[in-house]
């Protein structure tokens, strides 16, 4: 194995990072407002529309886009394609951060944030949300465990806490050593567990909306919604890796990883294809295509989602020329990511139409600021992490 | 929407049923409705729109007094929904009926929690803060609630409301069926007790169903021959009979299948005894063992996680 | 001494006043109150015949206004009050209704099955407690009154159909509701009232009793004016 | 502002519906004292005798049960002041055909309802519970030395502040046609100084108008000042505003100053010359409705029914019916007299209503009603 991941050790305070800080600050203000004035104070949510972008984007989309973590792990570690290992670490980091922010987003969104631990003791086994919550909770733990070796690798034998904490150096170091050793032996359990948990809750996120047959537009409401969520999550995994790796490599001016990314997207043709077949097949079987030309926001959103988020990128990937070009690949990946994002937004927001108290929903500015702030924080931490921890493929010299 | 959704509801029901039978390990979905619940029958032909029920409800449940409770002048101009300050509201609908002088005849319709037989909110609630009681009431326990509002997403009647402006301890607010009152012998919900015209009839659901059917049978020209809530979403404790189509008074057309049936069937098919995750774990483990044969340090620590 | 005497005399007068106030009774009203307290035995079975047959039956029996012995009722039955008691009793001019409607079967729609029973019986004989599980279709007394009265008033476009057209609500005890310091000034009191009764406060400011002027629709030459009244233009000779 | 010693907290904590006492606190005392102004309202109505007022005394009605309120606007039109916020009428409760005793008279009585206001028969005397003022001569006011005499009711005939009075108890009302509207002299309206009497309020109605009804009024008669040049009623300044008031009549007993100040207050010029004129005000008799059995009997108005021939002039009924008894049934003034009322003069009276004054040729039984001439076969006596 020729590659070796290492810290970037690049200057942190670039203009892009400063922009992120501005969004983080604005988001923080909005969150303070939410915890002083209540959810109603910062959002446009109503009794009929209890879930907005905090659930639709922060949670549902966050979970979907973090799918890169388990899909690459499955590929590289379970199915033994070690060639793809260089992308597992950034994908893992994205997953760790993604899920962490799903939880933070939930803390903002649920009304009684301080009671978030209650599902651990009050089980409702009928509740889809309970299953999702349990999976996310356990999976987040698994992700941290999987991430621990990276921390250990960086600080093992090099613990240097400042000031009074320096006395703990040796203790922490010992813990890291032991953890690293034990984890090495059992890591396979966590890797498989991660994949299993992901399959469970990625699909269950789709089941969430199955309780509302009269509210979700028939174009999306289907008994196979969980299957669609699972397949789309699996399909978006590699494109998401492509997407973020391309962004990261171009941001840090690293070598493009085309030699890994291009073959990776060959899997996507099958995965996305399977999703596409299911989605369109479902539409045909249930006869919901009759709605397509209704011309409402919802049907238009569906058309955009399927056409530009699924069919177009799938067709693009069929061409080797696209797969080989960094730009083409990035564009196709971005379309797929966008398609899944739009799908989650459609299912949770656009397609959700309470028939009795019809009132439109558009997120309030402060509501958007919270979401943007969370995303900016996520990116900032990603940036900080890759700067100091061995996540990304280190520079050329190391690799050669 | 030009295309009726009923067709799709049927499809859902069939799909849910087929999912239910397929996995051998899963039990067929069974209703969890209490054996002999209380209910209320709302006869819209009797309601005069006095809004006494709103007033009584507010008093019994310690809610703020309804707006302009003694004056029905302008309140009916807007279509109201129950919210965090009112568990029940009366709306006025002009459905096209006219009296002998060609004056439009109003129909008043009460809205409150329907206390479904198999409530989807109860099924949805992550912590079981909502429960279906033996009385028939769907009870909310604030001490368990985490404020996720999934019940509100789930409810086909759009009933649960939320204290959006409480930053730390918001509650889900909905009709309690005056659970504490009806538990006692002879106890009545506040609204039923005060209703001057007995628009609301309180009693055992079975009895009420018989009463409703008797009224429909004896006055075929007056009533629509349908008891709303007998079968809708698997049946509701609160039922309506009316002389105007139910859609015209904002009672939605709903499938007969209990709302939680599909999601619960899927959940239990896949996750009872965690058979599916365990199976998946085994399969993946086998794959991992096979694919990494010879590669003796497949999961060496320096690889980092997945 | 004289002062003391004066005091005693005053006390006596006061006492006498209190006594007479207690002694005074409106005779017809007292009689109706007594009658309203009666609870008659519940009629379990009734004869479910068509209203037309009922009417003809009554007419054939020669039931007429002369048979209406009870001229005036106070609808204040304990059956109603045992559940909720929010309203003051309704005055019901029985004989006047009988004279106007001229069809007893309009209200006395069924009769007890017992052949020895009277042709017409009280509402409260058949309609008692609501939601009686043994008679689920039988509506309670309160609902029977309301359905009967309002339906007919609406049909005939005569008589009140609103709540206060027939009865006044009980005024809730304000002892606990009114939060005032001892010896409040009038402004404080007004504020306290307006805290709950703000619309009523607004209403009050528009009334003739407050403004001492108002519309004069029954004064020739000034029928559209709104400014006449004691506070402005009214004249008198006393 | 309320009096200092009123415990407002206690008041606020005991709010409730209005009662006869709350309304009566002002309305029973109109004109400066109990029963002075209104012919038919006095503190007697707080605890009235059944015979004095059947509604309040028999059935314990509160004012607001008839004077229904909407948004605090209280229904009822006053005779004395122009303002009205809704109407109260007997018919609203009793309907246009209020007689349903089942007796032979119902038909005739309901017929009468189209021509007579209910109170013509049902409240045949005003001030039956307490004497009321019927004459008030302001021009005599100011004589602090004049000896005050008590009349037969024990009421004073003079008060230096107010002038000379006459009182009446159980008075016979004046009857006139009334369609619900009043002519009124309002502040600044020109009046005819040459007329014998100026009517400050004057019922509008006519025998020829089907909607006009014969209605009972108490006429409040008096003498008051008119501006001799401007021809309008003068408003004197009576109550002293404070200690330093230099113009109030009740302090200085100077009409000139009182008029000057009074007219300045209302914003009308005062010429300096005033004249005393007799003015009348019509006050409708609305309350103190007596029980049905005490209504006027037929014969009390229709002298034609007094003799042996009554209804049987037209009805040749061979049933055993005592027409005479029917025609005479009604208020027994001797009974009222025995209860201490001053109704001596009304016993045996058979011309209760002066038909000729109302525009009839005479007793309508003989001469025909206002729209229907009954072909009785009697030749009307020449006028």
């Amino acid at each position: 194995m020729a590659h070796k991941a290492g810290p970037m050790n690049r200057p942190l305070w670039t203009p892009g990072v400063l922009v992120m800080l501005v969004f983080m600050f604005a988001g923080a203000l909005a969150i303070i407002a939410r915890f002083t004035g209540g959810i109603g104070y910062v959002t446009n949510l109503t009794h009929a529309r209890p879930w907005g972008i905090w659930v639709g984007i922060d949670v549902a989309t966050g979970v979907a886009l973090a799918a890169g973590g388990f899909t690459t792990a499955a590929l590289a570690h379970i199915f033994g394609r070690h060639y793809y290992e260089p992308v597992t670490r950034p994908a893992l980091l994205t997953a760790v951060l993604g899920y962490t922010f799903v939880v933070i987003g939930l803390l903002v969104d649920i009304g009684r944030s301080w009671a978030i631990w209650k599902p651990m003791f009050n089980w409702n086994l009928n509740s889809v949300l309970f299953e999702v919550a349990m999976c996310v909770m356990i999976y987040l733990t698994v992700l941290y465990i999987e991430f621990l070796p990276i921390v250990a690798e960086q600080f093992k034998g090099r613990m240097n806490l400042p000031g009074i904490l320096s006395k703990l150096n040796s203790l922490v170091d010992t813990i890291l050593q032991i953890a690293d050793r034990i984890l090495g032996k059992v890591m396979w359990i966590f890797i498989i567990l991660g994949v299993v948990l992901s399959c469970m809750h990625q699909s269950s996120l789709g089941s969430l909306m199955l309780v509302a047959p009269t509210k979700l537009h028939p174009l999306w409401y289907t008994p196979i919604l969980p299957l669609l969520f699972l397949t789309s999550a699996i399909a978006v995994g590699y494109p998401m890796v492509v997407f973020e790796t391309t962004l990261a490599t171009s941001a840090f001016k690293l070598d493009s990883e085309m030699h890994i990314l291009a073959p990776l997207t060959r899997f996507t043709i099958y995965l996305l294809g399977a999703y596409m077949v299911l989605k369109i097949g479902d539409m045909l079987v249930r006869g919901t295509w009759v709605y397509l030309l209704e011309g409402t926001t919802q049907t238009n959103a569906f058309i955009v989602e399927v056409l530009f988020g699924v069919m177009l990128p799938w067709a693009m990937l069929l061409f080797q020329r696209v797969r080989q070009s960094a730009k083409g690949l990035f564009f196709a990946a971005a379309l797929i990511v966008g398609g899944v994002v739009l799908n989650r937004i459609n299912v949770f927001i656009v397609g959700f139409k309470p028939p009795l108290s019809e009132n439109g929903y558009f997120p309030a500015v402060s509501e958007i600021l919270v979401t943007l702030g969370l995303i900016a924080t996520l990116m900032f931490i990603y940036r900080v992490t890759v700067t100091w921890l061995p996540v990304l493929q280190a520079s050329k010299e190391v690799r050669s | 929407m030009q295309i009726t959704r009923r067709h799709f509801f049927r499809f859902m029901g069939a799909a849910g049923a087929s999912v239910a039978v397929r996995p051998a390990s899963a039990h067929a979905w069974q209703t969890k409705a209490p054996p002999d619940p209380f209910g209320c029958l709302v006869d819209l032909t009797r309601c005069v729109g006095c809004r006494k029920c709103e007033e009584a409800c507010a008093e019994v449940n310690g809610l703020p007094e309804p707006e302009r409770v003694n004056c029905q002048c302008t309140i009916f101009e807007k279509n109201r929904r129950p919210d965090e300050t009112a568990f029940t509201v009366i709306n006025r609908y002009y459905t096209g009926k006219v009296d002998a002088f060609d004056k439009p005849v109003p129909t008043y319709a009460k809205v409150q929690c329907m206390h479904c037989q198999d409530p989807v909110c109860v099924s949805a609630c992550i912590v079981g803060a909502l429960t279906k009681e033996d009385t028939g009431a769907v009870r909310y326990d604030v001490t368990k609630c985490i404020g996720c509002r999934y019940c509100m997403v789930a409810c086909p009647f759009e009933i649960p409301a939320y204290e959006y402006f409480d930053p730390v301890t918001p509650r889900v607010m909905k009709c309690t069926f005056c659970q504490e009152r009806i538990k006692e012998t002879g106890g009545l919900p506040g609204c039923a007790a005060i209703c001057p015209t007995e628009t609301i009839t309180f009693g055992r659901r079975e009895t009420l169903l018989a009463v409703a059917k008797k009224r429909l049978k004896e006055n075929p020209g007056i009533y629509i021959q349908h008891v709303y809530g007998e079968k809708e979403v698997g049946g509701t404790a609160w039922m309506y009979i009316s002389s105007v189509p139910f859609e015209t008074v904002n009672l939605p057309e709903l499938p007969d299948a209990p709302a939680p049936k599909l999601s619960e069937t899927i959940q239990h098919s896949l996750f009872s005894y965690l058979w599916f995750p365990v199976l998946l774990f085994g399969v993946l483990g086998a794959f991992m063992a096979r694919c990494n044969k010879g590669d003796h340090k497949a999961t060496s620590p320096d690889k980092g996680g997945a | 001494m004289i002062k003391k005497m004066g005091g005693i005399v005053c006390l006596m007068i006061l006492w006498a006043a209190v006594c007479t106030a207690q002694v005074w009774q409106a005779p017809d009203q007292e009689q109706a109150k007594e009658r309203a307290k009666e609870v008659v035995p519940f009629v379990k079975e009734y004869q479910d015949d068509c209203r037309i047959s009922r009417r003809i039956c009554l007419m054939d029996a020669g039931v007429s206004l002369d048979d209406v012995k009870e001229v005036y009722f106070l609808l204040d039955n304990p059956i109603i009050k045992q559940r909720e008691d929010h309203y003051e009793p309704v005055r019901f001019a029985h004989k006047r209704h009988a004279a106007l409607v001229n069809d007893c079967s309009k209200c006395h729609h069924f009769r007890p099955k017992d052949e020895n029973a009277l042709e017409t019986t009280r509402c409260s004989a058949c309609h008692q407690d609501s939601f009686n599980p043994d008679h689920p279709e039988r509506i309670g007394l309160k609902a029977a009154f309301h359905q009967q009265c309002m339906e007919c008033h609406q049909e005939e476009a005569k008589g009140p159909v609103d709540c206060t057209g027939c009865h006044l609500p009980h005024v809730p005890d304000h002892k606990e509701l009114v939060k005032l310091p001892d010896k409040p000034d009038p402004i404080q009191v007004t504020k306290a009232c307006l805290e709950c009764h703000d619309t009523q406060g607004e209403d009050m400011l528009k009334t003739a009793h407050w403004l001492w002027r108002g519309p004069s629709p029954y004064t020739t030459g000034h029928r559209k004016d709104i400014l006449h009244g004691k506070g402005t233009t009214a004249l008198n000779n006393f | 502002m309320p009096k200092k010693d009123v415990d407002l907290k206690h008041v606020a904590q005991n709010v409730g519906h209005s009662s006869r006492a709350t309304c009566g606190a002002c309305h029973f005392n109109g004109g400066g004292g109990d029963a002075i102004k209104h012919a038919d309202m006095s503190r007697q109505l707080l605890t009235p005798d059944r015979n004095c007022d059947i509604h309040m005394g028999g059935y314990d009605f509160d004012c607001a049960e008839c004077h229904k309120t909407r948004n605090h606007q209280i229904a009822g039109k006053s005779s004395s002041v122009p303002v009205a916020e809704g109407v109260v009428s007997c018919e609203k409760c009793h309907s246009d055909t209020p007689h349903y005793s089942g007796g032979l008279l119902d038909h005739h009585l309901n017929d009468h309802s189209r021509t007579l206001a209910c109170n013509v028969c049902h409240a045949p005397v005003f001030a039956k519970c307490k004497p009321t003022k019927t004459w008030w001569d302001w021009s005599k006011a100011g004589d602090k030395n004049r000896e005050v005499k008590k009349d037969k009711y024990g009421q004073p005939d003079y008060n230096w502040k107010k002038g000379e009075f006459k009182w009446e108890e159980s008075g016979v009302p004046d009857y006139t046609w009334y369609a619900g509207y009043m002519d009124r002299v309002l502040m600044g309206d020109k009046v005819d100084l040459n007329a014998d009497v100026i009517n400050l309020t004057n019922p509008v109605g006519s025998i020829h108008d089907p909607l006009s009804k014969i209605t009972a009024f108490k006429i409040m008669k008096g003498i008051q000042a008119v501006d001799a040049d401007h021809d309008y009623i003068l408003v004197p300044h009576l109550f002293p505003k404070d200690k330093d008031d230099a113009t109030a009549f009740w302090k200085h007993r100077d009409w000139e100053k009182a008029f000057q100040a009074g007219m300045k207050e209302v914003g009308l010029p005062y010429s300096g010359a005033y004249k005393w004129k007799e003015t009348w005000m019509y006050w409708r008799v609305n309350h103190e409705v007596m029980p049905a059995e005490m209504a006027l009997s037929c014969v009390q108005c229709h002298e034609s029914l007094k003799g042996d021939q009554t209804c049987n002039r037209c009805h040749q009924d061979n049933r055993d019916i005592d027409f005479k008894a029917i025609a005479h049934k009604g208020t027994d003034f001797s009974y009222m007299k025995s209860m201490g009322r001053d109704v001596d003069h009304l016993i045996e009276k058979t011309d209760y209503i002066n038909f000729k004054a109302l525009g009839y040729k005479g007793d309508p039984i003989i001469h025909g009603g206002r729209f229907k001439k009954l072909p009785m076969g009697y030749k009307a006596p020449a006028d």
Side-chain angles (χ1 to χ4, degrees), chain C residues 139-158:
Chain C
I139 60 174
L141 185 57
K142 182 172 68 172
F145 281 146
H146 282 108
Q147 280 192 16
Q148 192 68 48
C149 298
M150 293 172 78
E151 216 161 87
C152 196
H153 286 184
Q154 241 151 12
E155 227 168 76
E156 303 291 323
K158 251 185 215 162

Side-chain angles (χ1 to χ4, degrees), chain D residues 28 30-38 132-133 136 167 218 220:
Chain D
F28 292 163
D34 190 20
I36 287 179
K37 191 163 76 168
H38 296 275
T132 185
K133 260 185 210 174
W136 188 325
W167 300 79
K218 160 201 169 183
M220 182 76 181

Side-chain angles (χ1 to χ4, degrees), chain A residues 257-285:
Chain A
E257 307 240 13
M258 280 307 288
H259 62 285
I260 297 178
L261 299 183
L264 194 59
T265 45
R266 273 188 327 204
F267 299 109
T268 303
I269 299 175
Y270 300 106
L271 297 175
L272 187 63
Y275 172 57
M276 183 170 71
V277 168
L278 280 174
K279 184 139 180 119
I280 296 175
D282 169 68
M283 184 176 79
L284 295 176
V285 169

Side-chain angles (χ1 to χ4, degrees), chain B residues 255-289:
Chain B
D256 289 348
K261 190 174 173 182
L262 180 60
S263 61
E264 282 187 12
T265 303
I266 291 177
Q267 282 297 99
H268 294 307
S269 310
L270 294 177
F271 300 116
S272 56
Y273 311 115
L274 291 173
W275 71 272
F276 184 75
V278 170
L279 181 71
L280 187 61
F281 194 97
V283 170
L284 288 174
F287 259 110
M288 195 169 184

